[in-house]
Amino acid sequence: MESSAGLRERKKEATRQAVHEATLRLTVEHGFDHVTVEAVADAAGISRRTFSNYFTGKEDALLHGEEQQIRDLVRTVRERPAEETAWAALRAAMTQFAERVAPPEREWALRTRLAMQHPSLLARQLANHAALEGDLAEAVASRQSPSEKSVRPLVLAAAFLSSLRIAMRMWIEEDLAREPVEVIDEILDEMACRFD
């Protein structure tokens, strides 16, 4: 029999996902500036107060999918073989993640375009990345030898997440001409010579 805590967590995640999808849909229909938290709450079938229990604002709700993807990527890095170097583990985790998740390109493109156009959304995205950098740095730190400097995992995590952000921006500027993973690989190849 399933525990009530596990069921409760799944229900919470389902609510978060419903709010995220409502925010995304309303943003496509009306534009980010014209979407209100009240409208998102109505579209998701929840109260304004319930919205506030899950997200601090529409920026957080819109970026929820991206945050979940990065958390999944961090888990994938932790699961990589211990003998891989940190950068190799990050690269392999990205490849493995992309094959497993295959996120909808439309959502990636929309979030990236919106972040490029709306300072409040870009600020929230960068804050999310900064918060997740610590988790990624911790996953990377377990791969370094005790003689290596402790700043290296932070640099690797920041460089990796910045590379992903740059790749998404290039992908948008190229008008989605290539697969996003192809652009990510190109950027990560540029960084590889510094971290391999």
Side-chain angles (χ1 to χ4, degrees):
M1 186 168 153
E2 184 175 21
S3 75
S4 60
L7 179 60
R8 192 176 15 232
E9 285 307 311
R10 279 206 319 276
K11 285 182 176 182
K12 285 181 179 181
E13 185 51 39
T15 300
R16 281 186 198 93
Q17 189 61 31
V19 172
H20 165 67
E21 289 171 6
T23 307
L24 191 61
R25 183 173 32 79
L26 291 173
T27 298
V28 169
E29 293 171 4
H30 306 289
F32 185 70
D33 291 330
H34 301 290
V35 173
T36 64
V37 168
E38 290 75 15
V40 170
D42 286 345
I46 60 171
S47 70
R48 171 65 169 90
R49 182 177 177 173
T50 300
F51 178 98
S52 296
N53 290 337
Y54 289 92
F55 298 105
T56 59
K58 64 183 183 179
E59 293 85 359
D60 284 340
L62 186 66
L63 294 172
H64 174 69
E66 178 180 80
E67 182 179 339
Q68 292 306 104
Q69 289 170 342
I70 293 174
R71 288 193 187 286
D72 190 30
L73 182 63
V74 171
R75 277 191 299 275
T76 305
V77 169
R78 286 188 175 120
E79 294 167 358
R80 295 297 307 162
E83 65 274 3
E84 286 180 335
T85 66
W87 192 254
L90 288 166
R91 293 286 307 261
M94 184 63 216
T95 301
Q96 183 180 347
F97 171 78
E99 290 170 356
R100 185 177 67 242
V101 176
E105 292 182 8
R106 178 180 167 272
E107 189 174 331
W108 276 16
L110 177 62
R111 279 195 313 250
T112 302
R113 283 188 178 115
L114 287 168
M116 290 167 61
Q117 296 167 356
H118 298 279
S120 67
L121 192 57
L122 179 60
R124 188 66 230 153
Q125 185 182 51
L126 292 174
N128 283 348
H129 284 198
L132 291 171
E133 264 178 32
D135 293 340
L136 193 57
E138 185 181 298
V140 165
S142 66
R143 298 177 173 281
Q144 71 179 16
S145 69
S147 64
E148 289 183 278
K149 294 182 181 180
S150 62
V151 74
R152 183 172 171 80
L154 292 171
V155 172
L156 285 168
F160 185 76
L161 290 175
S162 293
S163 296
L164 297 182
R165 190 173 43 78
I166 291 165
M168 290 297 93
R169 184 174 176 180
M170 279 180 57
W171 179 56
I172 294 300
E173 289 171 352
E174 293 176 358
D175 201 25
L176 319 182
R178 297 186 281 165
E179 291 294 320
V181 173
E182 185 180 335
V183 183
I184 290 169
D185 281 342
E186 179 183 335
I187 298 300
L188 293 178
D189 284 345
E190 286 294 318
M191 297 298 289
C193 62
R194 280 117 178 100
F195 297 116
D196 271 341

